[in-house]
Amino acid sequence: MNLDISRRRFVQLLGALSAAAGLQSKAQVKAVRPESPLATVNRKNLVATQVKAYAWQDEGIDKLLDNLQQKGNINTVFAFTFLSEPTDVSGRIPLPDHGTYSKANPEIGGAFYDYDLKYFQNTTLRDFHASSKFNVISEVAPKMKARGMDFFAWDYNNTNANMMRLIPGFTEISEIDVYGRRTDSACWNHPNYRAQLTGRIESYLSGYPNEVAGIIWGCERMGPLDNMIGGGWATTGISCFCPYCRAKARARDISVERARRGFIKLDELFQAASRQQRPADGYFVVFWRILLDYPEVLAWHMLWNESYHEVRSELYGTAKSIAPRKPFGFHMVQNITFSPFYSAVDNYAKVKDYTDFVKIATYNNAGGGRMASFLKRLCSTVFADATPPDLLPLYYKMMGYDEKSYDEIEHNGLSVDYIARETKRAIADTAHSIQIYSSVDIDVPLQPGQRKSTPEGVEAEVNAAFAAGADGIVLSREYTEMWLANLAAAGEASRKIFARSTA
């Protein structure tokens, strides 16, 4: 008997059982004593940041770690080990005062670590290594450990059309939209894709048991209805109508054809809105009428979102079956703070059942322009009867915000109260049963004319997050985007807060 294969199947079975049984393993972990071998060990006063693979080679590992520790007071690094987006920032944003930004890893997509193929025997998606031979885990993690820092594998799974070109076989697992066209997004219900995602978790924890201290997993995707409504995180296609999703729908007694017709009618409505062809009864009335006539639209939307929950819970169960004490958590796309539609389906109260922590993208400076863009999109689809300034007062009441006018948030960003409110909401929704890590906006890329980060502003953000009850902060988005004065302001602010808490 091949013991490796048997162990893999056992691990996958545990992960699947965790998802199917409502994550009983999570409940058990939360109920055990802290000294139990099943209890997750979370770092107190976590201060983290995200670092892309090319940055270690660009600046040098020791120099980069010096900046993180000495300036940012950072004790945890979410190091990109898998990424489906551009690996460098050259030409995309004004470069800050560190790094030379050579094109060490210019490709899009791939794994920045070496993995054993034995973890991927149940999938054909085995060739996904980045062209760089730099192994982030083996090169960086030991040096971090020697400094008392934690290395978290950051597995980031956004969509990118180049993934179809760079990963052999990826086109075969892509979603199929309502019109029968393939998209650049992978289908959650394709067993080939699920097996690859699970294999990556195994390859981190079993392949590097002494180097990887935890895992953060992220994907900024939404279901078909949220994609149609829009926002900066919308992906292409009203999806998915592949054979696996159709079979899953039929098992739930959802009519595939009626779902298709309903989505097409919605698409026609929103296309008319883009041409300002208002129906006699108005956009919202017709939108609601289509949902009443075709409840299969919402059923299909929930099928997509529940599949997303299933995948994440299976990954969590897999991780806990291998390394129960190591934290495993999720990055939450900023749309969960903006959209009443998206936050209804990807709510913290549900996610808490299969995670140890969530990292919330509470970028307040960049958030103003992002919120304005989301409102603009809402007012060209569901609420096309109104303008963004018309909708704004009601929107603030729905979301619990107390922010400025539409023009002001677009140019001046959101207040630090936005960070505090979202932190408190996550704590309330989860009954603080998991760790809540708030993001501190440090030079997140902006549109021209929008408010930029300052040391004073960064200090206020750090204070707001911890005052609201955050268990830790993530200096965001990435180290490669940050000016050192702003990084240092975050470090000084957290040092003062921790000093007061131990005084």
Side-chain angles (χ1 to χ4, degrees):
M1 175 181 292
N2 187 319
L3 294 180
D4 284 336
I5 295 177
S6 297
R7 188 196 66 78
R8 284 196 72 254
R9 289 177 177 168
F10 177 68
V11 165
Q12 290 179 333
L13 177 62
L14 286 179
L17 288 175
S18 295
L23 270 293
Q24 292 182 5
S25 62
K26 177 64 189 292
Q28 292 165 356
V29 169
K30 293 170 68 62
V32 297
R33 298 186 306 274
E35 65 273 15
S36 167
L38 290 178
T40 301
V41 179
N42 295 300
R43 180 186 277 271
K44 184 179 180 182
N45 296 332
L46 177 139
V47 179
T49 196
Q50 303 171 168
V51 181
K52 285 186 174 176
Y54 82 95
W56 304 106
Q57 303 166 80
D58 183 39
E59 294 193 37
I61 298 171
D62 289 315
K63 182 179 178 181
L64 196 158
L65 290 175
D66 284 344
N67 279 343
L68 298 186
Q69 279 192 301
Q70 296 168 14
K71 296 185 183 298
N73 195 30
I74 289 166
N75 51 42
T76 303
V77 174
F78 298 159
F80 286 91
T81 48
F82 180 86
L83 180 64
S84 57
E85 295 184 338
T87 58
D88 73 271
V89 297
S90 303
R92 295 192 297 120
I93 65 170
L95 299 180
D97 52 348
H98 57 91
T100 59
Y101 306 96
S102 62
K103 297 246 180 204
N105 299 309
E107 75 282 342
I108 300 173
F112 293 92
Y113 71 104
D114 296 326
Y115 51 85
D116 194 319
L117 288 176
K118 69 182 180 182
Y119 301 115
F120 301 94
Q121 294 187 29
N122 290 339
T123 178
T124 60
L125 304 174
R126 300 172 187 169
D127 183 9
F128 56 93
H129 201 291
S131 61
S132 169
K133 299 304 180 184
F134 181 73
N135 185 330
V136 171
I137 301 177
S138 63
E139 295 292 334
V140 177
K143 292 192 173 186
M144 287 183 57
K145 192 172 185 178
R147 294 169 176 249
M149 304 172 75
D150 288 334
F151 179 103
F152 276 44
W154 190 180
D155 199 274
Y156 198 34
N157 297 272
N158 282 9
T159 65
N160 192 290
N162 282 287
M163 296 292 283
M164 300 296 169
R165 176 177 58 84
L166 293 172
I167 298 180
F170 205 78
T171 54
E172 298 172 10
I173 53 93
S174 64
E175 290 187 329
I176 297 176
D177 74 6
V178 71
Y179 298 107
R181 301 170 300 200
R182 286 198 177 272
T183 74
D184 57 12
S185 301
C187 177
W188 299 127
N189 289 313
H190 200 297
N192 217 0
Y193 186 50
R194 285 202 181 192
Q196 197 224 33
L197 293 175
T198 303
R200 293 212 302 262
I201 301 305
E202 292 183 66
S203 70
Y204 296 138
L205 295 175
S206 296
Y208 296 91
N210 298 319
E211 292 87 359
V212 174
I215 293 176
I216 177 169
W217 192 93
C219 180
E220 297 185 331
R221 289 175 56 189
M222 301 185 293
L225 190 55
D226 281 307
N227 280 341
M228 298 180 77
I229 292 170
W233 300 270
T235 48
T236 303
I238 306 168
S239 307
C240 174
F241 285 85
C242 77
Y244 294 100
C245 291
R246 287 170 177 257
K248 193 170 188 176
R250 284 191 287 268
R252 298 184 179 196
D253 293 324
I254 303 172
S255 169
V256 175
E257 187 53 36
R258 284 189 55 80
R260 284 188 68 256
R261 272 186 273 159
F263 275 115
I264 289 172
K265 284 185 176 292
L266 276 181
D267 193 28
E268 291 170 348
L269 173 67
F270 294 158
Q271 290 295 328
S274 69
R275 298 188 296 267
Q276 297 184 334
Q277 296 174 344
R278 187 178 187 272
D281 290 335
Y283 296 107
F284 184 81
V285 170
V286 176
F287 165 74
W288 185 243
R289 183 178 293 149
I290 293 171
L291 294 185
L292 293 176
D293 288 343
Y294 295 92
E296 293 84 1
V297 167
L298 289 178
W300 207 277
H301 184 62
M302 284 305 299
L303 184 150
W304 190 97
N305 283 284
E306 287 171 6
S307 298
Y308 186 30
H309 283 290
E310 286 174 12
V311 167
R312 289 185 295 185
S313 63
E314 185 173 337
L315 297 179
Y316 177 83
T318 299
K320 288 294 142 178
S321 69
I322 300 171
R325 293 177 69 84
K326 293 183 178 181
F328 186 104
F330 296 96
H331 160 74
M332 307 302 291
V333 62
Q334 193 165 13
N335 215 34
I336 199 173
T337 75
F338 289 165
S339 173
F341 301 98
Y342 183 72
S343 61
V345 292
D346 203 28
N347 59 318
Y348 299 122
K350 191 168 185 176
V351 176
K352 72 175 174 56
D353 292 330
Y354 56 75
T355 192
D356 298 316
F357 67 87
V358 291
K359 174 222 153 194
I360 315 169
T362 46
Y363 312 145
N364 61 312
N365 292 329
R370 292 181 177 190
M371 182 183 287
S373 295
F374 174 68
L375 289 168
K376 188 178 297 183
R377 178 60 182 169
L378 278 182
C379 291
S380 65
T381 53
V382 177
F383 299 120
D385 302 292
T387 65
D390 294 334
L391 179 62
L392 193 65
L394 175 61
Y395 172 77
Y396 280 166
K397 288 183 181 295
M398 285 193 297
M399 300 302 293
Y401 293 143
D402 183 18
E403 297 291 338
K404 301 297 184 182
S405 70
Y406 181 79
D407 286 339
E408 286 180 287
I409 64 169
E410 187 171 25
H411 295 100
N412 298 323
L414 303 175
S415 68
V416 295
D417 184 60
Y418 160 74
I419 300 174
R421 284 175 183 250
E422 284 304 316
T423 301
K424 290 176 182 177
R425 183 168 75 88
I427 289 172
D429 284 353
T430 62
H432 215 163
S433 59
I434 61 174
Q435 299 282 290
I436 305 298
Y437 301 146
S438 306
S439 293
V440 173
D441 184 331
I442 303 182
D443 301 307
V444 175
L446 302 166
Q447 296 299 318
Q450 294 179 331
R451 185 183 68 192
K452 296 181 180 180
S453 294
T454 64
E456 296 76 18
V458 169
E459 180 181 5
E461 294 169 33
V462 173
N463 289 332
F466 280 115
D471 299 290
I473 55 174
V474 182
L475 308 186
S476 300
R477 289 183 320 182
E478 302 158 12
Y479 166 75
T480 52
E481 298 169 344
M482 300 175 189
W483 289 79
L484 293 180
N486 293 328
L487 176 65
E492 184 62 22
S494 65
R495 287 188 182 96
K496 290 178 180 177
I497 292 170
F498 300 157
R500 289 196 298 267
S501 66
T502 57

